[in-house]
Amino acid sequence: MKTWPIPLPALAACLVVWTWPVAVRATAGNPIADALDRWDLAAAQAWIDQADPSGRSRSLAGVRGAMLFLQGEYEAAETVLAAADDADATTLRARVRDTRAVTAGLATAWSPSRRFVARFAPGPDEAVLPYMLEAAEAAFDVLSARLGMTVPVPVRIEILPSIDALSVVSATDRGDLVRSGAVAVADFNKLMVLSPSQLPHGYPFADTVAHELAHHFLTVRAGHRVPVWFQEAVAKYLEPAWRGASPGTLHRSLAELLADARAGGRLVRFDELRQSLSRMPSPERTALAFAQLSSFAAFLVRTEGDDVLSRMADEFRVGDEEVAVLRATGKTLDELQAAWLRAYDAEGRPADTGGVRGILVRESGPPEATLSTAQAALLRLGDLLRRRGHPGQAAERYARIVVPGAHPLLVARLASAWNEAGEPARALAALDRAGLDEVEWAMLARERGRALVALGRHAEAEAPLLAAVRTDPYDPGTHEALARVMAALGRPAEADREQRLAAMWR
């Protein structure tokens, strides 16, 4: 299993422009090509039926196969593509065959509204479903309102059981995924998401599906002519809105990373942002790109109006990048970038709250690497005491090394030991002193939620426990705590669900 750094940066999405069969590319302005470029399958089907009422044309077999692929009918697509008579259809058939092989064992689940259908590996990933589909449903409403549009339903989501499976299904180079830290891709009329089980502490998969859904909306609106930088700017800007956060809200480490890069002259150049962010050289560089683009999108909305993102998307559909930006805003892209940097500099550096920045923690390695020899000995003694059933004594040792600026995983270990010792107030005090971003560091949110439940503060416990489970849905203790919260808040159906999920690992 790939040992991914934590907390994972905002997730890269790749919009892969894939090869259509020759019949689709035959003429400029081909209506079938335009419809398929925007995943308007109803319009494409109408044009195909008009062009080939009998359904027997070999020249259109590749198009029909592509349609079936975009609908998720992989076996039928492979059969139809076998009858096509062009090389592109042969290439597409190989992709369909590989996709069918990787997804053959996946089960199917629908969201309550039936606007989403998810495929997943039976077993632990059942714990992902309720939270991912909840986020998808909320994000659908937010995106529809903010972009003034909707998309055909159901939207398909594939939860892939490994990075290799994600690479195959998304047609994205595995090395690119690993180097950039990308764990999700929006293309081929679906969202493709890596199982959180493949990372040691999970990753924020609920925010990820909201991010990818924004890509899906933009592609339906304007096709693949939308520049990568704009796709990622909009997706990252709108990513947190589904859970009630303000658009453009960045985790502390991302805000600090952006401030450091601006001060040090290390911002990502816009010409680097014209290719898929899955090709970034490192997760840190990917994270910086997302922070920049989210900030730029927020600036555009603030200065050019709430509908500027929709206006720009519409212009990208019909014109090249520079002309589209100028028509939508009256300014060139260079002018807008310069204005954004002036505004960013005028706002000043984000306030330093004394917390540890996630990006720097990733660079420094495991928590043990941050300790002196004496502190490392205390940590080992604390772990030994905890294993022998003395969590209170372990917590006292941990407390001697959890000083201001301590690694978040050490803070989590201290809070967890106090919770195990039946000292929830001391767990909360340790978390409060650390002052970390607990949405970003989900293991801290989990311990806060557990402590609040133990103190009977159920309404306060809901938000941190949900933040935890939306990153790591496999911890039975989190589900047990959520079950108590839901029961106390008079939500028996959700309490039953959490009890069921908690029992999966017994």
Side-chain angles (χ1 to χ4, degrees):
M1 182 173 67
K2 170 67 178 176
T3 304
W4 225 274
I6 57 168
L8 197 73
L11 307 171
C14 322
L15 292 170
V16 182
V17 182
W18 53 298
T19 302
W20 293 109
V22 165
V24 178
R25 299 182 285 111
T27 61
N30 187 318
I32 298 177
D34 179 67
L36 291 180
D37 187 56
R38 293 180 292 105
W39 302 330
D40 187 346
L41 303 188
Q45 188 66 58
W47 282 104
I48 292 170
D49 291 343
Q50 181 180 345
D52 179 26
S54 70
R56 297 174 183 172
S57 169
R58 286 179 61 84
S59 65
L60 284 175
V63 183
R64 293 186 182 279
M67 286 277 294
L68 289 165
F69 176 53
L70 292 177
Q71 293 167 334
E73 302 291 341
Y74 301 142
E75 185 172 357
E78 191 176 351
T79 299
V80 171
L81 287 166
D85 56 5
D86 64 86
D88 290 339
T90 300
T91 300
L92 179 57
R93 184 187 177 199
R95 180 169 296 165
V96 174
R97 182 182 62 245
D98 292 344
T99 299
R100 183 166 68 87
V102 167
T103 59
L106 300 184
T108 300
W110 290 80
S111 70
S113 71
R114 305 202 51 97
R115 293 187 297 192
F116 294 89
V117 56
R119 300 195 66 198
F120 66 99
D125 277 349
E126 292 177 42
V128 177
L129 290 172
Y131 311 105
M132 183 175 285
L133 293 175
E134 172 193 55
E137 292 276 14
F140 191 102
D141 293 334
V142 167
L143 292 166
S144 297
R146 289 191 171 270
L147 297 177
M149 61 171 291
T150 188
V151 297
V153 295
V155 178
R156 293 184 296 124
I157 303 172
E158 291 176 349
I159 304 171
L160 285 313
S162 69
I163 195 73
D164 292 308
L166 177 62
S167 174
V168 169
V169 172
S170 67
T172 306
D173 182 76
R174 187 186 189 281
D176 287 345
L177 294 174
V178 171
R179 277 190 300 274
S180 66
V183 292
V185 178
D187 204 358
F188 310 135
N189 196 36
K190 61 183 176 181
L191 315 182
M192 295 158 278
V193 183
L194 181 67
S195 167
S197 66
Q198 296 303 292
L199 283 77
H201 299 273
Y203 71 89
F205 63 85
D207 277 3
T208 298
V209 79
H211 181 109
E212 300 307 320
L213 187 61
H215 287 310
H216 186 82
F217 266 67
L218 286 175
T219 304
V220 169
R221 185 173 193 129
H224 286 80
R225 296 189 65 178
V226 178
V228 169
W229 67 262
F230 183 77
Q231 275 275 7
E232 298 297 354
V234 174
K236 187 60 184 174
Y237 171 72
L238 293 177
E239 176 186 302
W242 75 271
R243 50 182 162 85
S246 298
T249 300
L250 293 175
H251 292 316
R252 182 183 303 160
S253 63
L254 287 183
E256 288 285 353
L257 181 65
L258 178 56
D260 286 348
R262 175 56 176 163
R266 298 188 304 276
L267 292 178
V268 180
R269 301 187 315 275
F270 250 70
D271 61 333
E272 296 179 71
L273 299 171
R274 287 188 168 90
Q275 63 178 3
S276 170
L277 296 198
S278 70
R279 296 177 183 172
M280 284 286 167
S282 69
E284 283 69 33
R285 200 68 176 163
T286 306
L288 175 58
F290 278 125
Q292 281 183 230
L293 290 170
S294 179
S295 177
F296 185 54
F299 169 78
L300 290 175
V301 172
R302 190 166 64 247
T303 58
E304 302 295 329
D306 290 343
D307 65 341
V308 66
L309 303 179
S310 297
R311 297 199 316 266
M312 291 176 74
D314 291 339
E315 294 294 343
F316 286 130
R317 179 180 175 184
V318 297
D320 67 32
E321 178 181 296
E322 291 293 342
V323 173
V325 172
L326 188 61
R327 286 174 60 90
T329 67
K331 303 176 183 67
T332 68
L333 184 56
D334 286 343
E335 289 171 339
L336 289 169
Q337 291 179 64
W340 162 63
L341 286 174
R342 289 194 299 271
Y344 181 81
D345 292 341
E347 291 170 1
R349 186 182 180 88
D352 184 359
T353 58
V356 173
R357 294 177 293 184
I359 298 298
L360 298 183
V361 166
R362 281 203 298 275
E363 293 172 346
S364 67
E368 292 80 359
T370 67
L371 301 177
S372 67
T373 301
Q375 289 174 321
L378 279 172
L379 178 63
R380 289 193 296 272
L381 177 58
D383 290 345
L384 177 63
L385 288 166
R386 196 174 176 188
R387 286 195 299 271
R388 292 184 175 179
H390 305 289
Q393 294 178 38
E396 290 171 358
R397 271 65 178 185
Y398 295 151
R400 293 165 60 183
I401 59 177
V402 177
V403 296
H407 195 295
L409 290 180
L410 296 177
V411 178
R413 205 173 303 190
L414 171 61
S416 179
W418 281 132
N419 275 327
E420 291 172 11
E423 298 278 2
R426 300 180 79 170
L428 290 179
L431 294 167
D432 290 342
R433 281 193 301 271
L436 291 162
D437 184 338
E438 293 178 11
V439 175
E440 183 173 24
W441 295 98
M443 66 288 293
L444 301 179
R446 178 192 65 212
E447 297 308 325
R448 181 175 294 278
R450 290 175 60 197
L452 289 169
V453 168
L455 292 168
R457 295 158 60 179
H458 297 102
E460 295 174 65
E462 181 179 5
L465 288 173
L466 286 176
V469 83
R470 289 165 179 166
T471 292
D472 177 4
Y474 308 111
D475 176 54
T478 308
H479 292 295
E480 290 169 353
L482 268 172
R484 292 176 61 185
V485 166
M486 298 309 176
L489 298 180
R491 289 147 63 179
E494 292 171 82
D496 289 346
R497 179 190 72 190
E498 297 302 327
Q499 289 284 15
R500 179 179 63 81
L501 292 175
M504 286 182 64
W505 291 270
R506 298 303 187 206

